[in-house]
Amino acid sequence: MGSGEADTGHEGEARKSGGWLARGALALLALIALGALYLWSSREQIAGDFIDEYLAETGLEARYDIVSIGPQRQEIANVIVGDPDAPDLTIDRVLVDVAYGLGAPSVGAVVVERPLLFGAYRDGQLTFGALDPIVFGESDSASTGLPDLKVVVRNGGARLDTDFGAV
């Protein structure tokens, strides 16, 4: 009888510690689920912060609307780069496909719909206004130059004002 009572006591302790472990695991899963829910509900703000940080690093003045942010694709619309009254670039819609690999997610492909680029060629100087630091790499910032991306342009156009008229 003494040995049976000892087993019962140990089983009770094992159940108590196993119950504590199960509750802890359940609480951890609940925290992870809440964190994922928070990130999902904040995805547009996170994407906006990421875009704004890139624009600040490159010195670009731009406006845009985030239409949707999903796990596979992001959509941005009404992009205006430069002075809103005389923009250097407008884009109706940008679709960004997200690629997943071993590391962090990356940009897989970009579709740019109905971009209009405005520039000037005067006295032998080519300029695209606010885009010059990115196009020509004129800044000391590490973020200058065009990114190495696969870009598809749909229905794009450009206007170049020259000493001889518009092209």
Side-chain angles (χ1 to χ4, degrees):
M1 195 171 190
S3 65
E5 289 175 11
D7 287 341
T8 304
H10 289 297
E11 286 176 14
E13 288 177 23
R15 268 191 223 124
K16 286 181 184 175
S17 66
W20 177 85
L21 202 57
R23 285 191 300 273
L26 187 59
L28 181 61
L29 285 174
L31 283 174
I32 291 171
L34 285 173
L37 182 63
Y38 171 77
L39 287 175
W40 182 254
S41 64
S42 302
R43 67 193 184 280
E44 289 186 14
Q45 180 63 41
I46 293 168
D49 290 346
F50 178 78
I51 294 168
D52 290 343
E53 184 178 312
Y54 175 78
L55 292 172
E57 284 176 9
T58 57
L60 281 178
E61 178 188 338
R63 298 173 184 213
Y64 60 89
D65 296 324
I66 294 177
V67 176
S68 67
I69 302 294
Q72 303 294 323
R73 176 172 272 188
Q74 285 121 33
E75 181 179 346
I76 301 164
N78 306 318
V79 178
I80 299 172
V81 178
D83 180 3
D85 294 328
D88 300 307
L89 174 68
T90 63
I91 304 171
D92 283 354
R93 188 164 81 142
V94 179
L95 301 170
V96 180
D97 288 334
V98 179
Y100 294 95
L102 294 176
S106 62
V107 175
V110 179
V111 176
V112 180
E113 295 182 349
R114 291 177 299 286
L116 294 174
L117 177 64
F118 301 93
Y121 185 77
R122 302 216 187 210
D123 298 322
Q125 287 292 109
L126 179 64
T127 182
F128 295 104
L131 295 167
D132 285 353
I134 291 181
V135 173
F136 301 118
E138 296 175 346
S139 169
D140 293 333
S141 170
S143 301
T144 60
L146 296 172
D148 185 17
L149 297 173
K150 176 184 174 186
V151 178
V152 175
V153 177
R154 293 187 182 149
N155 229 3
R159 177 187 170 120
L160 191 63
D161 291 323
T162 72
D163 295 327
F164 308 103
V167 177

